[in-house]
Amino acid sequence: SDWCFTNCKKSNFTLKIYISSQQEISTNTYGTSYATLEFYSSDTGELREEFLGQRYKGNTEINFNEIPNADKITMIRQSAFEGCTNLELTSLPPNLKTIEGSAFQNCTNIKINEMPETLNRIGESAFYNCTSIENLEFSKNTNIFIAGCAFKNCSGLKNVNIPNVTINTGLGGYQFESCTNLENITLGSVGNPVLNMSDWCFTNCNKSNLILTVYTTNENITNWTNRNYGINNGTINYIKTN
C-alpha cells in the first residue's frame, strides 16, 4: 500500500525493502515523512538504492566530507541534514536525483561546488544559508528544476553556472535571494534556452560587478527587456538560442 507507514515519524526510522533485481524502484515513500528507505536485492541481498531520511538532522557532531553509502543514494529527503553545522561535505552522491526541501538548510560548512549529472530537482530552501559554498557548477546533460529559496542567503557564493535549468516561476521565487557576493551567473546554454524565470530570483544580489547571462529565445529577449530579477546593480546579458 502507498500509505503503509503514514504517521510513522521517528527521525531514525529505517525501512528496508527487498525486491527483485529486475524490479524498478519507484519514488514511493509509503507514507513516511522522515524515514530512510533502503532497497535491497532479494536475489543477492545487496543494497541497490537508498532514500536518505532524517537520521542525521540537527546533529552538530558529524563532520564527514562524504555521505556514507554515497553511491547508492538517489534521494536526500526533507531536512535530512538541516542544522548539521559541522558537516563538511565537498561532494554529493554521484547518482543523486532529488534533493528535497531544507535538506541542507543551515549547513554552514559544506563546500560542494559541483552538482551530480543525475540531479534533476532541488527543493525549496534546500541549501538555505549554506554560507561556505563559493561556486556551483551544474551538468549540461540534465534539465534541473530549482524551487523557491533553494540557495537563499548563500552569502559566500560567487559563481553559478546552470546550463540546463527550469526555475520555478510560481509563488516559490527568490532562488538566490541575498547571495550578496554573487559576481557571475550563467543560466542556460546554446541549445538549452531558459524558458521561464521568477521575477525575484536574485533579490538583494547587489554587487556592482555582478553579471547575469541568460540564454533564451528571441521572443523572450523581447518580452524580458525590462525585467531585472531583483538585481539593482550589475549587468544582465541575453544571448539568443533555440
Side-chain angles (χ1 to χ4, degrees):
S1 165
D2 288 347
W3 304 102
C4 292
F5 299 99
T6 299
N7 291 325
C8 299
K9 293 183 176 181
K10 289 200 72 172
S11 60
N12 62 348
F13 175 27
T14 299
L15 175 59
K16 299 182 178 182
I17 303 170
Y18 285 77
I19 58 177
S20 73
S21 299
Q22 291 74 40
Q23 186 175 343
E24 185 176 347
I25 297 172
S26 76
T27 55
N28 188 347
T29 55
Y30 305 101
T32 64
S33 299
Y34 313 124
T36 293
L37 278 67
E38 297 177 350
F39 297 89
Y40 292 86
S41 167
S42 58
D43 306 314
T44 66
E46 180 183 2
L47 178 63
R48 290 180 55 192
E49 204 166 308
E50 180 177 329
F51 301 167
L52 183 62
Q54 293 186 5
R55 61 170 60 142
Y56 299 112
K57 181 182 178 182
N59 187 333
T60 58
E61 296 182 2
I62 57 170
N63 62 357
F64 43 74
N65 54 34
E66 182 177 292
I67 301 171
N69 292 326
D71 62 327
K72 304 297 183 183
I73 295 172
T74 58
M75 179 189 297
I76 296 177
R77 302 195 65 189
Q78 183 168 340
S79 301
F81 290 98
E82 183 179 350
C84 296
T85 51
N86 283 311
L87 188 66
E88 297 182 346
L89 289 185
T90 55
S91 63
L92 291 172
N95 300 308
L96 187 62
K97 299 175 184 176
T98 302
I99 300 173
E100 292 189 342
S102 301
F104 293 98
Q105 184 169 329
N106 293 323
C107 292
T108 51
N109 277 305
I110 63 172
K111 298 177 176 67
I112 58 170
N113 56 34
E114 189 172 344
M115 293 294 177
E117 187 170 322
T118 51
L119 185 64
N120 57 42
R121 187 176 185 87
I122 298 177
E124 186 170 346
S125 300
F127 292 93
Y128 180 93
N129 201 42
C130 292
T131 52
S132 293
I133 298 175
E134 295 185 359
N135 302 289
L136 284 175
E137 184 75 28
F138 289 75
S139 171
K140 184 177 181 178
N141 297 325
T142 305
N143 181 267
I144 187 161
F145 175 89
I146 301 178
C149 301
F151 295 95
K152 182 177 178 178
N153 206 38
C154 290
S155 56
L157 189 58
K158 295 179 181 179
N159 303 292
V160 177
N161 181 29
I162 315 178
N164 196 345
V165 61
T166 298
I167 293 180
N168 184 4
T169 58
L171 295 176
Y174 304 95
Q175 282 80 3
F176 291 89
E177 181 184 0
S178 297
C179 293
T180 50
N181 278 301
L182 265 178
E183 296 177 357
N184 292 287
I185 312 153
T186 302
L187 302 178
S189 57
V190 175
N192 293 302
V194 177
L195 300 180
N196 294 291
M197 284 184 67
S198 165
D199 285 342
W200 306 104
C201 292
F202 301 102
T203 298
N204 293 329
C205 300
N206 291 329
K207 288 199 77 170
S208 60
N209 62 340
L210 172 63
I211 299 174
L212 169 62
T213 302
V214 182
Y215 288 78
T216 191
T217 63
N218 190 55
E219 180 181 0
N220 280 345
I221 292 173
T222 301
N223 293 335
W224 294 354
T225 300
N226 295 319
R227 298 171 68 180
N228 68 7
Y229 313 105
I231 297 172
N232 294 321
N233 298 310
T235 302
I236 301 174
N237 297 321
Y238 292 107
I239 299 176
K240 177 186 175 183
T241 189
N242 296 311

